[in-house]
Amino acid sequence: MLDLVIEASALAFHPYVLMYVMLGVLLGITLGAIPGLSGDMAIALLLPFVFFLEPAMAMGLLVGIYKGGLFGGSIAAISFGVPGTPGAAATSIDGYQAKLKGKPSKALHTALYSSVIGDTTSDLVLIFIAVPLAAVALSFGPIEFFALYAFSLMLIAALSQGMVAKGLAVAAIGVLLAMIGRDPITGSARLTFGMPGLSGGLSLIPVLIGIFAISEVVVQGAKLWRRKVDDLMDDVAEQASLLQGYDIRKDQLSWKEFKATLKATYIGAAVGTFIGALPGAGQSLAAFMSYGLAQRFSKTPEEFGKGSLEGIASAESGNSATAGSTFIPLFAFGIPGSATAALFGAAFILMGMTPGPSLLNDNTEIIYALFFTLIFANLVNLVLGKILLPYYSRIAMIQPGYLIPAVFILAIVGTYAANNSVVDVWVLLFAGVLGVTLRLLKFPLAPLVLGFIIGPGAERALRQSMIMGGGDWWVLVKSPIAIGFYVAAVALILLFTFALRAKK
């Protein structure tokens, strides 16, 4: 074990790996601070380029982008009241109010510290839980895995921010797209519509980039087209007026104020870590649940919504605490816990590693190096954030009009370069159109991506189970573990459905 730790640490702390981590954190914070852009978009765009990097370097870059993006979203949320990422929406409630009260530095530093604490807590839980869970998963057969996949798809849909029916529908679309190509048992072509280019199925890269990046570019481009210059000038004038009379010396986070936010930070860390481990729950849910619980247990709940540092700490800690725990189902069972975990799962596949319980056994050194990288990225996030925080808020003023064309071109070039395939470019554009349509109809995107990735494994497990049972469907409920998953899935869907109705 000691030899493994030494080898993994040597790999994780190689100068090139450290350089890619720092580059990733810097890029992630920068993109996260710009409303409309996100770390997920950057990860999706960079997936084709993991071919050209060693696994440890590629993971360092992607982890850095992910970590930096989580904190970066709070910069725009606090500075301009516009969440840079969906997970930062709860942070903007108190963050922007604190800024209006002349406390932008205190708000930003509170967000930075709570983000790092929540993130590190989640990473430690991942490190100590993933390995034992993976050992349990190795005893699963096709019947148990199909039940687990079914449970995950239902849970993903149920936790789609109150849109159970839409979540299930979108997850089903993802599974349907995954079935294009050849039958995993018989090898016969299906759903190819006579096009030879689809016989190998839809490639992962164009689907992910299309759903996340292209659809986001189109939506942001449309918003930019409708935006009036007068509105933009009003925003700039408002920001200038707020800066008049501001004294940075009076806006420093004291040790007493920091200690006062620790309880809220720990609440966010606990809630975010738990929510992050649930497939499909997401950062927004974790942030708002953490915010609500922190307000309930606060000594000054009346201050929430009025610039409370506790409100900022709980929301940002809950948001960032999903970072590590979202990988638990990916490492233990091969099931992405979130859209970001799905992107990392795609990166593992592109590097020849299969997500799931065998991942830790077959690539032990790389995974343990990844564990070290996760912790180191938090330290980099803290240091870079602390040093560059005075400049980061200005990043949110970068006009999206300069970035949208570059993102679109990079998406097409990266997709074509991955397999030198024109078919992949058409798949990219189709996925982009599908993503835009779903966004306009208010359908969640994460269930589609997770369904697309889980679909092949679920189908393979189902077909193998049916072969084992001689075509008898009852074979799917002969395992006590499988029955437990089915019962839990139904119970959770009913629970969230009734909770939604009661809320209305």
Side-chain angles (χ1 to χ4, degrees), residues 84-126:
T85 59
T91 305
S92 66
I93 298 174
D94 278 290
Y96 189 58
Q97 292 299 317
K99 179 263 181 77
L100 294 179
K101 289 185 175 181
K103 300 186 293 183
S105 179
K106 289 183 179 182
L108 287 168
H109 280 84
T110 299
L112 174 63
Y113 299 147
S114 58
S115 176
V116 172
I117 292 173
D119 201 340
T120 304
T121 302
S122 182
D123 291 339
L124 293 175
V125 172
L126 166 68

mmCIF file of all heavy atoms in Angstrom, residues 84-126:
data_model
loop_
_atom_site.group_PDB
_atom_site.id
_atom_site.type_symbol
_atom_site.label_atom_id
_atom_site.label_comp_id
_atom_site.label_asym_id
_atom_site.label_seq_id
_atom_site.Cartn_x
_atom_site.Cartn_y
_atom_site.Cartn_z
ATOM 1 N N GLY A 84 -22.800 32.982 -12.537
ATOM 2 C CA GLY A 84 -21.958 32.540 -13.639
ATOM 3 C C GLY A 84 -22.246 31.113 -14.031
ATOM 4 O O GLY A 84 -22.059 30.718 -15.181
ATOM 5 N N THR A 85 -22.700 30.299 -13.069
ATOM 6 C CA THR A 85 -23.083 28.911 -13.315
ATOM 7 C C THR A 85 -24.411 28.655 -12.601
ATOM 8 O O THR A 85 -24.758 29.373 -11.653
ATOM 9 C CB THR A 85 -22.019 27.935 -12.777
ATOM 10 O OG1 THR A 85 -21.845 28.151 -11.369
ATOM 11 C CG2 THR A 85 -20.682 28.135 -13.480
ATOM 12 N N PRO A 86 -25.173 27.621 -13.013
ATOM 13 C CA PRO A 86 -26.452 27.350 -12.350
ATOM 14 C C PRO A 86 -26.309 27.107 -10.845
ATOM 15 O O PRO A 86 -27.184 27.490 -10.066
ATOM 16 C CB PRO A 86 -26.954 26.087 -13.065
ATOM 17 C CG PRO A 86 -26.311 26.139 -14.410
ATOM 18 C CD PRO A 86 -24.960 26.748 -14.184
ATOM 19 N N GLY A 87 -25.202 26.466 -10.441
ATOM 20 C CA GLY A 87 -25.008 26.172 -9.028
ATOM 21 C C GLY A 87 -24.814 27.401 -8.172
ATOM 22 O O GLY A 87 -24.952 27.348 -6.948
ATOM 23 N N ALA A 88 -24.486 28.545 -8.793
ATOM 24 C CA ALA A 88 -24.241 29.778 -8.041
ATOM 25 C C ALA A 88 -25.494 30.622 -7.863
ATOM 26 O O ALA A 88 -25.420 31.730 -7.324
ATOM 27 C CB ALA A 88 -23.155 30.598 -8.732
ATOM 28 N N ALA A 89 -26.644 30.109 -8.310
ATOM 29 C CA ALA A 89 -27.884 30.887 -8.205
ATOM 30 C C ALA A 89 -28.209 31.218 -6.753
ATOM 31 O O ALA A 89 -28.627 32.350 -6.438
ATOM 32 C CB ALA A 89 -29.032 30.116 -8.850
ATOM 33 N N ALA A 90 -28.028 30.247 -5.852
ATOM 34 C CA ALA A 90 -28.325 30.496 -4.439
ATOM 35 C C ALA A 90 -27.336 31.497 -3.845
ATOM 36 O O ALA A 90 -27.688 32.281 -2.955
ATOM 37 C CB ALA A 90 -28.294 29.182 -3.652
ATOM 38 N N THR A 91 -26.092 31.477 -4.322
ATOM 39 C CA THR A 91 -25.088 32.417 -3.823
ATOM 40 C C THR A 91 -25.468 33.851 -4.137
ATOM 41 O O THR A 91 -25.176 34.775 -3.357
ATOM 42 C CB THR A 91 -23.716 32.096 -4.445
ATOM 43 O OG1 THR A 91 -23.384 30.729 -4.187
ATOM 44 C CG2 THR A 91 -22.630 32.987 -3.867
ATOM 45 N N SER A 92 -26.125 34.066 -5.281
ATOM 46 C CA SER A 92 -26.460 35.432 -5.694
ATOM 47 C C SER A 92 -27.504 36.080 -4.785
ATOM 48 O O SER A 92 -27.604 37.308 -4.734
ATOM 49 C CB SER A 92 -26.973 35.434 -7.142
ATOM 50 O OG SER A 92 -28.202 34.735 -7.246
ATOM 51 N N ILE A 93 -28.289 35.269 -4.055
ATOM 52 C CA ILE A 93 -29.354 35.819 -3.204
ATOM 53 C C ILE A 93 -28.777 36.797 -2.187
ATOM 54 O O ILE A 93 -29.235 37.939 -2.062
ATOM 55 C CB ILE A 93 -30.115 34.682 -2.491
ATOM 56 C CG1 ILE A 93 -30.799 33.767 -3.510
ATOM 57 C CG2 ILE A 93 -31.139 35.266 -1.516
ATOM 58 C CD1 ILE A 93 -31.441 32.549 -2.880
ATOM 59 N N ASP A 94 -27.767 36.351 -1.445
ATOM 60 C CA ASP A 94 -27.141 37.222 -0.443
ATOM 61 C C ASP A 94 -25.880 37.889 -0.978
ATOM 62 O O ASP A 94 -25.508 38.963 -0.501
ATOM 63 C CB ASP A 94 -26.791 36.419 0.810
ATOM 64 C CG ASP A 94 -27.983 36.242 1.732
ATOM 65 O OD1 ASP A 94 -28.404 37.227 2.336
ATOM 66 O OD2 ASP A 94 -28.495 35.110 1.826
ATOM 67 N N GLY A 95 -25.225 37.237 -1.953
ATOM 68 C CA GLY A 95 -23.965 37.779 -2.450
ATOM 69 C C GLY A 95 -24.117 39.152 -3.075
ATOM 70 O O GLY A 95 -23.350 40.078 -2.773
ATOM 71 N N TYR A 96 -25.117 39.310 -3.928
ATOM 72 C CA TYR A 96 -25.296 40.596 -4.608
ATOM 73 C C TYR A 96 -25.780 41.664 -3.632
ATOM 74 O O TYR A 96 -25.391 42.838 -3.727
ATOM 75 C CB TYR A 96 -26.286 40.445 -5.757
ATOM 76 C CG TYR A 96 -26.379 41.667 -6.641
ATOM 77 C CD1 TYR A 96 -25.248 42.156 -7.282
ATOM 78 C CD2 TYR A 96 -27.582 42.336 -6.823
ATOM 79 C CE1 TYR A 96 -25.312 43.288 -8.092
ATOM 80 C CE2 TYR A 96 -27.659 43.463 -7.629
ATOM 81 C CZ TYR A 96 -26.527 43.935 -8.260
ATOM 82 O OH TYR A 96 -26.589 45.047 -9.058
ATOM 83 N N GLN A 97 -26.606 41.250 -2.671
ATOM 84 C CA GLN A 97 -27.059 42.205 -1.658
ATOM 85 C C GLN A 97 -25.887 42.690 -0.803
ATOM 86 O O GLN A 97 -25.827 43.866 -0.424
ATOM 87 C CB GLN A 97 -28.130 41.567 -0.774
ATOM 88 C CG GLN A 97 -29.436 41.277 -1.489
ATOM 89 C CD GLN A 97 -30.076 42.543 -2.038
ATOM 90 O OE1 GLN A 97 -30.120 43.579 -1.380
ATOM 91 N NE2 GLN A 97 -30.561 42.455 -3.275
ATOM 92 N N ALA A 98 -24.954 41.786 -0.503
ATOM 93 C CA ALA A 98 -23.765 42.190 0.253
ATOM 94 C C ALA A 98 -22.933 43.174 -0.553
ATOM 95 O O ALA A 98 -22.372 44.133 -0.010
ATOM 96 C CB ALA A 98 -22.927 40.956 0.607
ATOM 97 N N LYS A 99 -22.837 42.949 -1.845
ATOM 98 C CA LYS A 99 -22.088 43.862 -2.713
ATOM 99 C C LYS A 99 -22.740 45.243 -2.720
ATOM 100 O O LYS A 99 -22.058 46.284 -2.643
ATOM 101 C CB LYS A 99 -22.026 43.276 -4.119
ATOM 102 C CG LYS A 99 -21.268 44.162 -5.133
ATOM 103 C CD LYS A 99 -22.239 45.003 -5.934
ATOM 104 C CE LYS A 99 -21.518 45.869 -6.953
ATOM 105 N NZ LYS A 99 -21.090 45.102 -8.106
ATOM 106 N N LEU A 100 -24.089 45.281 -2.796
ATOM 107 C CA LEU A 100 -24.796 46.558 -2.810
ATOM 108 C C LEU A 100 -24.620 47.310 -1.496
ATOM 109 O O LEU A 100 -24.725 48.546 -1.458
ATOM 110 C CB LEU A 100 -26.283 46.332 -3.089
ATOM 111 C CG LEU A 100 -26.650 45.780 -4.480
ATOM 112 C CD1 LEU A 100 -28.151 45.589 -4.592
ATOM 113 C CD2 LEU A 100 -26.140 46.699 -5.578
ATOM 114 N N LYS A 101 -24.352 46.565 -0.428
ATOM 115 C CA LYS A 101 -24.134 47.203 0.874
ATOM 116 C C LYS A 101 -22.680 47.615 1.077
ATOM 117 O O LYS A 101 -22.293 48.010 2.180
ATOM 118 C CB LYS A 101 -24.560 46.243 1.995
ATOM 119 C CG LYS A 101 -26.069 46.052 2.089
ATOM 120 C CD LYS A 101 -26.436 45.192 3.282
ATOM 121 C CE LYS A 101 -27.943 45.093 3.456
ATOM 122 N NZ LYS A 101 -28.321 44.273 4.636
ATOM 123 N N GLY A 102 -21.874 47.469 0.027
ATOM 124 C CA GLY A 102 -20.473 47.885 0.118
ATOM 125 C C GLY A 102 -19.553 46.843 0.700
ATOM 126 O O GLY A 102 -18.487 47.182 1.235
ATOM 127 N N LYS A 103 -19.945 45.549 0.596
ATOM 128 C CA LYS A 103 -19.103 44.472 1.133
ATOM 129 C C LYS A 103 -18.756 43.435 0.063
ATOM 130 O O LYS A 103 -18.856 42.236 0.317
ATOM 131 C CB LYS A 103 -19.817 43.783 2.298
ATOM 132 C CG LYS A 103 -20.152 44.708 3.470
ATOM 133 C CD LYS A 103 -20.716 43.929 4.645
ATOM 134 C CE LYS A 103 -22.073 43.336 4.314
ATOM 135 N NZ LYS A 103 -22.684 42.629 5.469
ATOM 136 N N PRO A 104 -18.340 43.844 -1.129
ATOM 137 C CA PRO A 104 -18.039 42.848 -2.166
ATOM 138 C C PRO A 104 -16.844 41.967 -1.818
ATOM 139 O O PRO A 104 -16.843 40.767 -2.100
ATOM 140 C CB PRO A 104 -17.751 43.702 -3.407
ATOM 141 C CG PRO A 104 -17.337 45.031 -2.866
ATOM 142 C CD PRO A 104 -18.142 45.221 -1.620
ATOM 143 N N SER A 105 -15.813 42.558 -1.193
ATOM 144 C CA SER A 105 -14.621 41.779 -0.849
ATOM 145 C C SER A 105 -14.941 40.721 0.206
ATOM 146 O O SER A 105 -14.508 39.571 0.110
ATOM 147 C CB SER A 105 -13.512 42.701 -0.351
ATOM 148 O OG SER A 105 -12.361 41.955 0.000
ATOM 149 N N LYS A 106 -15.719 41.108 1.225
ATOM 150 C CA LYS A 106 -16.108 40.132 2.252
ATOM 151 C C LYS A 106 -16.928 39.004 1.636
ATOM 152 O O LYS A 106 -16.739 37.827 1.968
ATOM 153 C CB LYS A 106 -16.922 40.829 3.352
ATOM 154 C CG LYS A 106 -16.124 41.757 4.244
ATOM 155 C CD LYS A 106 -16.995 42.344 5.347
ATOM 156 C CE LYS A 106 -16.170 43.271 6.250
ATOM 157 N NZ LYS A 106 -16.976 43.819 7.355
ATOM 158 N N ALA A 107 -17.834 39.351 0.745
ATOM 159 C CA ALA A 107 -18.679 38.342 0.110
ATOM 160 C C ALA A 107 -17.855 37.385 -0.746
ATOM 161 O O ALA A 107 -18.033 36.155 -0.689
ATOM 162 C CB ALA A 107 -19.752 39.027 -0.741
ATOM 163 N N LEU A 108 -16.933 37.930 -1.530
ATOM 164 C CA LEU A 108 -16.116 37.094 -2.414
ATOM 165 C C LEU A 108 -15.182 36.193 -1.618
ATOM 166 O O LEU A 108 -15.000 35.014 -1.963
ATOM 167 C CB LEU A 108 -15.313 37.977 -3.371
ATOM 168 C CG LEU A 108 -16.121 38.648 -4.496
ATOM 169 C CD1 LEU A 108 -15.288 39.718 -5.189
ATOM 170 C CD2 LEU A 108 -16.595 37.602 -5.500
ATOM 171 N N HIS A 109 -14.582 36.717 -0.562
ATOM 172 C CA HIS A 109 -13.689 35.892 0.263
ATOM 173 C C HIS A 109 -14.475 34.819 1.017
ATOM 174 O O HIS A 109 -13.991 33.693 1.178
ATOM 175 C CB HIS A 109 -12.905 36.773 1.232
ATOM 176 C CG HIS A 109 -11.723 37.450 0.620
ATOM 177 N ND1 HIS A 109 -11.824 38.637 -0.066
ATOM 178 C CD2 HIS A 109 -10.418 37.089 0.540
ATOM 179 C CE1 HIS A 109 -10.628 38.997 -0.513
ATOM 180 N NE2 HIS A 109 -9.756 38.072 -0.161
ATOM 181 N N THR A 110 -15.668 35.156 1.483
ATOM 182 C CA THR A 110 -16.512 34.147 2.133
ATOM 183 C C THR A 110 -16.834 33.019 1.163
ATOM 184 O O THR A 110 -16.767 31.837 1.510
ATOM 185 C CB THR A 110 -17.815 34.782 2.643
ATOM 186 O OG1 THR A 110 -17.516 35.790 3.608
ATOM 187 C CG2 THR A 110 -18.719 33.734 3.275
ATOM 188 N N ALA A 111 -17.175 33.382 -0.078
ATOM 189 C CA ALA A 111 -17.473 32.376 -1.092
ATOM 190 C C ALA A 111 -16.258 31.512 -1.382
ATOM 191 O O ALA A 111 -16.371 30.284 -1.521
ATOM 192 C CB ALA A 111 -17.951 33.060 -2.375
ATOM 193 N N LEU A 112 -15.077 32.126 -1.457
ATOM 194 C CA LEU A 112 -13.857 31.377 -1.745
ATOM 195 C C LEU A 112 -13.546 30.375 -0.643
ATOM 196 O O LEU A 112 -13.321 29.183 -0.912
ATOM 197 C CB LEU A 112 -12.688 32.350 -1.919
ATOM 198 C CG LEU A 112 -11.303 31.715 -2.080
ATOM 199 C CD1 LEU A 112 -11.243 30.872 -3.339
ATOM 200 C CD2 LEU A 112 -10.213 32.796 -2.108
ATOM 201 N N TYR A 113 -13.536 30.828 0.605
ATOM 202 C CA TYR A 113 -13.177 29.945 1.715
ATOM 203 C C TYR A 113 -14.196 28.812 1.893
ATOM 204 O O TYR A 113 -13.826 27.647 2.093
ATOM 205 C CB TYR A 113 -13.050 30.749 3.009
ATOM 206 C CG TYR A 113 -11.978 31.820 2.967
ATOM 207 C CD1 TYR A 113 -12.129 33.019 3.665
ATOM 208 C CD2 TYR A 113 -10.828 31.644 2.218
ATOM 209 C CE1 TYR A 113 -11.164 34.008 3.627
ATOM 210 C CE2 TYR A 113 -9.852 32.628 2.164
ATOM 211 C CZ TYR A 113 -10.019 33.801 2.861
ATOM 212 O OH TYR A 113 -9.058 34.786 2.810
ATOM 213 N N SER A 114 -15.476 29.138 1.823
ATOM 214 C CA SER A 114 -16.506 28.103 2.007
ATOM 215 C C SER A 114 -16.493 27.119 0.840
ATOM 216 O O SER A 114 -16.742 25.923 1.032
ATOM 217 C CB SER A 114 -17.884 28.755 2.142
ATOM 218 O OG SER A 114 -18.186 29.544 1.015
ATOM 219 N N SER A 115 -16.184 27.607 -0.352
ATOM 220 C CA SER A 115 -16.103 26.720 -1.505
ATOM 221 C C SER A 115 -14.989 25.700 -1.330
ATOM 222 O O SER A 115 -15.183 24.497 -1.574
ATOM 223 C CB SER A 115 -15.868 27.542 -2.786
ATOM 224 O OG SER A 115 -15.688 26.698 -3.908
ATOM 225 N N VAL A 116 -13.827 26.151 -0.900
ATOM 226 C CA VAL A 116 -12.684 25.249 -0.713
ATOM 227 C C VAL A 116 -12.951 24.256 0.410
ATOM 228 O O VAL A 116 -12.635 23.066 0.297
ATOM 229 C CB VAL A 116 -11.406 26.068 -0.434
ATOM 230 C CG1 VAL A 116 -10.261 25.143 -0.035
ATOM 231 C CG2 VAL A 116 -11.026 26.878 -1.663
ATOM 232 N N ILE A 117 -13.551 24.712 1.514
ATOM 233 C CA ILE A 117 -13.844 23.808 2.632
ATOM 234 C C ILE A 117 -14.849 22.733 2.211
ATOM 235 O O ILE A 117 -14.664 21.546 2.476
ATOM 236 C CB ILE A 117 -14.380 24.603 3.845
ATOM 237 C CG1 ILE A 117 -13.279 25.476 4.430
ATOM 238 C CG2 ILE A 117 -14.919 23.648 4.921
ATOM 239 C CD1 ILE A 117 -13.750 26.417 5.531
ATOM 240 N N GLY A 118 -15.939 23.147 1.563
ATOM 241 C CA GLY A 118 -16.933 22.177 1.116
ATOM 242 C C GLY A 118 -16.373 21.207 0.111
ATOM 243 O O GLY A 118 -16.634 19.995 0.179
ATOM 244 N N ASP A 119 -15.578 21.705 -0.817
ATOM 245 C CA ASP A 119 -14.979 20.859 -1.847
ATOM 246 C C ASP A 119 -14.035 19.830 -1.234
ATOM 247 O O ASP A 119 -14.063 18.646 -1.582
ATOM 248 C CB ASP A 119 -14.221 21.749 -2.835
ATOM 249 C CG ASP A 119 -14.008 21.064 -4.171
ATOM 250 O OD1 ASP A 119 -14.094 19.832 -4.223
ATOM 251 O OD2 ASP A 119 -13.764 21.771 -5.165
ATOM 252 N N THR A 120 -13.172 20.256 -0.323
ATOM 253 C CA THR A 120 -12.214 19.345 0.305
ATOM 254 C C THR A 120 -12.928 18.275 1.119
ATOM 255 O O THR A 120 -12.529 17.097 1.101
ATOM 256 C CB THR A 120 -11.248 20.139 1.205
ATOM 257 O OG1 THR A 120 -10.604 21.159 0.426
ATOM 258 C CG2 THR A 120 -10.192 19.224 1.801
ATOM 259 N N THR A 121 -13.979 18.658 1.840
ATOM 260 C CA THR A 121 -14.761 17.678 2.602
ATOM 261 C C THR A 121 -15.311 16.593 1.694
ATOM 262 O O THR A 121 -15.221 15.391 1.996
ATOM 263 C CB THR A 121 -15.927 18.377 3.330
ATOM 264 O OG1 THR A 121 -15.415 19.389 4.188
ATOM 265 C CG2 THR A 121 -16.741 17.376 4.136
ATOM 266 N N SER A 122 -15.861 17.001 0.582
ATOM 267 C CA SER A 122 -16.441 16.058 -0.365
ATOM 268 C C SER A 122 -15.380 15.133 -0.958
ATOM 269 O O SER A 122 -15.603 13.932 -1.138
ATOM 270 C CB SER A 122 -17.149 16.828 -1.481
ATOM 271 O OG SER A 122 -17.769 15.955 -2.391
ATOM 272 N N ASP A 123 -14.198 15.687 -1.257
ATOM 273 C CA ASP A 123 -13.117 14.866 -1.814
ATOM 274 C C ASP A 123 -12.668 13.792 -0.831
ATOM 275 O O ASP A 123 -12.392 12.648 -1.224
ATOM 276 C CB ASP A 123 -11.929 15.752 -2.182
ATOM 277 C CG ASP A 123 -12.223 16.654 -3.370
ATOM 278 O OD1 ASP A 123 -13.156 16.329 -4.133
ATOM 279 O OD2 ASP A 123 -11.534 17.672 -3.531
ATOM 280 N N LEU A 124 -12.572 14.152 0.443
ATOM 281 C CA LEU A 124 -12.161 13.172 1.456
ATOM 282 C C LEU A 124 -13.177 12.048 1.578
ATOM 283 O O LEU A 124 -12.805 10.863 1.732
ATOM 284 C CB LEU A 124 -11.965 13.867 2.806
ATOM 285 C CG LEU A 124 -10.793 14.863 2.876
ATOM 286 C CD1 LEU A 124 -10.787 15.582 4.219
ATOM 287 C CD2 LEU A 124 -9.468 14.140 2.648
ATOM 288 N N VAL A 125 -14.459 12.388 1.506
ATOM 289 C CA VAL A 125 -15.500 11.350 1.538
ATOM 290 C C VAL A 125 -15.363 10.429 0.339
ATOM 291 O O VAL A 125 -15.468 9.192 0.459
ATOM 292 C CB VAL A 125 -16.904 12.000 1.568
ATOM 293 C CG1 VAL A 125 -17.991 10.944 1.399
ATOM 294 C CG2 VAL A 125 -17.104 12.759 2.871
ATOM 295 N N LEU A 126 -15.108 10.989 -0.830
ATOM 296 C CA LEU A 126 -14.903 10.166 -2.026
ATOM 297 C C LEU A 126 -13.739 9.203 -1.846
ATOM 298 O O LEU A 126 -13.858 8.002 -2.149
ATOM 299 C CB LEU A 126 -14.631 11.079 -3.235
ATOM 300 C CG LEU A 126 -14.070 10.399 -4.494
ATOM 301 C CD1 LEU A 126 -15.115 9.494 -5.118
ATOM 302 C CD2 LEU A 126 -13.581 11.439 -5.501
#
